Amino acid sequence: MKRITLYILLVFALLSCEGSQDRFRLKGEFKHLQQGEFYLYSPDGGLDRIDTLKIKGGSFDYTTELTGEATFVLLYPNFSEHVIFAQGGDVITVKGDARHLKSTQIKGSEDNELLTRFRLENQDKPKAEYLKAVSSFIRQNPASRVSNYLFKTYFLRGIGAEEQTTRQRLYNVLLQAQPDNSQLTLWRPEIETRNKIANGKLFPAWELPTSDGDTIRPTDFKDRYLLITFWACWQSKSTGLLHHTRRLRRFTNKQLAAISYSLDVQQTMYDMRMKSDTVDWPSYCDFHSWNSPYIRQLGIRNIPYSILVGPDRKVIAHSENFEKDVLPHIKKAFNLK
């Protein structure tokens, strides 16, 4: 009788842990991968660190404290990523093939399954058709977290002039369906003032106080080309901007001025990166990440991001794609091959 009672209590404890409302669990299975490491970070504060997921026997099982909602990003060794919508109490499963990561399926909640279906159905479409599919999805699912994510990713930042009207219409669709969503409210000034960062327009005045009591002002670099880079330790793709900056400053004999703007939340990680990458140009971090007032002022919603300002303080180029959209202008300005 005692054994039966203990067994029942054990089963009840396991079930209680599985559905705990202040815990989030992520389980994964991958073919053609026996061991390795994936990484998990959160762009909206769900984690204040980058967690390592250990792969053993082709699988992993990860649990973290979480109350409310958060967005996680699963980062693979080849730097491809998958977005995961998390909520306290959720148990989300990730199943894929290490040789075909694009086909990975994420299940366990309506939002994750909805995004998985959309991704698998549209991932091979050309950009123009893909944007049409995103627009259609948002209009059909205006109250979904997936729609907010797709809007932020494809329409909030880095769009061309032809998508400006579509962005405003989609934003209005989201607002009508989610009038009490504070995140959408925060996006309003970014949408309305997006033209503050526009090629040919003056870069806005800044005053960034540093930890040593100094002040960084873009206006101090007049008559010089200025490269401003936005990055964070928790976004591995973005840290490459430090390498690009250091290399370009060497090739231009430091005639290219630079400002590093970190969206980190942990000072220890930030300080280690500054030291390991030998950052000898002005750098700023207020450890508020996306809540920094300067980030909101500029309307930047994703990293890596780079802005090239000319000697006349006018924006020459700005983009998430440094090598494609910004680097060619630097090479031209300094006659680099």
Side-chain angles (χ1 to χ4, degrees):
M1 182 67 180
K2 289 183 178 180
R3 289 183 178 179
I4 295 176
T5 302
L6 287 173
Y7 176 77
I8 293 173
L9 291 173
L10 178 61
V11 171
F12 178 78
L14 290 173
L15 291 175
S16 298
C17 181
E18 179 87 2
S20 176
Q21 295 304 303
D22 59 357
R23 308 285 290 177
F24 169 74
R25 187 177 181 188
L26 182 66
K27 301 188 295 183
E29 295 181 11
F30 283 81
K31 298 179 181 178
H32 302 112
L33 179 66
Q34 284 301 304
Q35 61 182 9
E37 292 181 348
F38 294 163
Y39 302 94
L40 194 73
Y41 69 89
S42 174
D44 58 10
L47 290 173
D48 61 359
R49 62 193 180 277
I50 302 175
D51 275 351
T52 301
L53 310 184
K54 298 286 186 179
I55 314 300
K56 294 182 179 180
S59 64
F60 67 82
D61 197 332
Y62 168 87
T63 303
T64 187
E65 294 183 2
L66 180 66
T67 55
E69 296 181 344
T71 303
F72 290 156
V73 178
L74 185 61
L75 175 65
Y76 302 109
N78 66 352
F79 296 111
S80 61
E81 299 176 335
H82 279 130
V83 170
I84 297 171
F85 299 108
Q87 185 167 343
D90 280 352
V91 179
I92 304 300
T93 60
V94 181
K95 291 189 177 181
D97 187 328
R99 297 178 181 177
H100 305 285
L101 290 173
K102 290 175 64 176
S103 62
T104 299
Q105 297 200 27
I106 302 172
K107 297 182 178 181
S109 73
E110 181 180 351
D111 289 331
N112 285 296
E113 292 171 10
L114 194 59
L115 180 58
T116 295
R117 287 197 298 271
F118 177 83
R119 172 168 49 81
L120 295 179
E121 292 172 0
N122 297 282
Q123 61 188 3
D124 294 324
K125 291 182 178 180
K127 180 180 178 180
E129 291 186 24
Y130 191 88
L131 290 178
K132 289 181 180 179
V134 170
S135 299
S136 177
F137 179 94
I138 292 174
R139 289 188 172 94
Q140 293 174 18
N141 305 274
S144 170
R145 293 171 68 189
V146 182
S147 293
N148 296 346
Y149 160 73
L150 291 173
F151 177 81
K152 170 187 171 183
T153 303
Y154 297 103
F155 283 98
L156 188 60
R157 76 293 182 275
I159 66 172
E162 67 276 8
E163 287 116 15
Q164 296 278 352
T165 302
T166 302
R167 178 179 64 188
Q168 186 64 59
R169 289 175 178 171
L170 292 178
Y171 180 66
N172 292 339
V173 168
L174 293 174
L175 275 180
Q176 184 174 0
Q178 307 174 57
D180 299 323
N181 189 318
S182 59
Q183 181 186 55
L184 294 179
T185 303
L186 289 174
W187 288 348
R188 184 189 298 276
E190 297 165 14
I191 290 175
E192 294 175 349
T193 63
R194 169 62 64 175
N195 59 359
K196 284 190 176 181
I197 308 180
N199 295 349
K201 295 204 171 188
L202 283 176
F203 186 78
W206 265 8
E207 286 194 1
L208 307 179
T210 62
S211 58
D212 57 6
D214 201 357
T215 301
I216 303 173
R217 300 180 182 88
T219 52
D220 292 341
F221 301 96
K222 63 181 180 179
D223 302 326
R224 297 176 65 186
Y225 287 93
L226 172 64
L227 175 63
I228 307 173
T229 56
F230 300 83
W231 63 279
C233 291
W234 49 259
Q235 220 292 15
S236 59
K237 289 182 179 180
S238 69
T239 56
L241 289 176
L242 298 177
H243 168 74
H244 282 302
T245 303
R246 185 174 61 253
R247 184 168 175 266
L248 287 167
R249 280 171 54 78
R250 184 174 70 249
F251 286 163
T252 63
N253 294 318
K254 296 189 177 181
Q255 292 305 302
L256 174 65
I259 294 175
S260 157
Y261 195 119
S262 170
L263 277 74
D264 275 305
V265 293
Q266 286 186 310
Q267 185 162 358
T268 302
M269 295 183 67
Y270 169 75
D271 291 342
M272 288 177 60
R273 176 63 67 176
M274 291 292 97
K275 184 177 180 180
S276 64
D277 280 7
T278 318
V279 176
D280 61 356
W281 56 93
S283 183
Y284 175 78
C285 183
D286 60 10
F287 305 103
H288 294 319
S289 192
W290 296 112
N291 292 322
S292 170
Y294 303 104
I295 295 298
R296 292 183 179 179
Q297 176 190 4
L298 296 177
I300 294 172
R301 296 308 303 173
N302 211 359
I303 54 175
Y305 204 90
S306 305
I307 303 173
L308 179 64
V309 181
D312 57 0
R313 280 192 57 218
K314 292 183 179 180
V315 175
I316 296 175
H318 62 102
S319 176
E320 293 175 43
N321 193 328
F322 174 81
E323 294 189 9
K324 177 178 177 293
D325 299 325
V326 179
L327 182 58
H329 293 277
I330 298 176
K331 288 183 175 180
K332 181 180 179 180
F334 291 95
N335 294 317
L336 300 176
K337 295 183 178 179

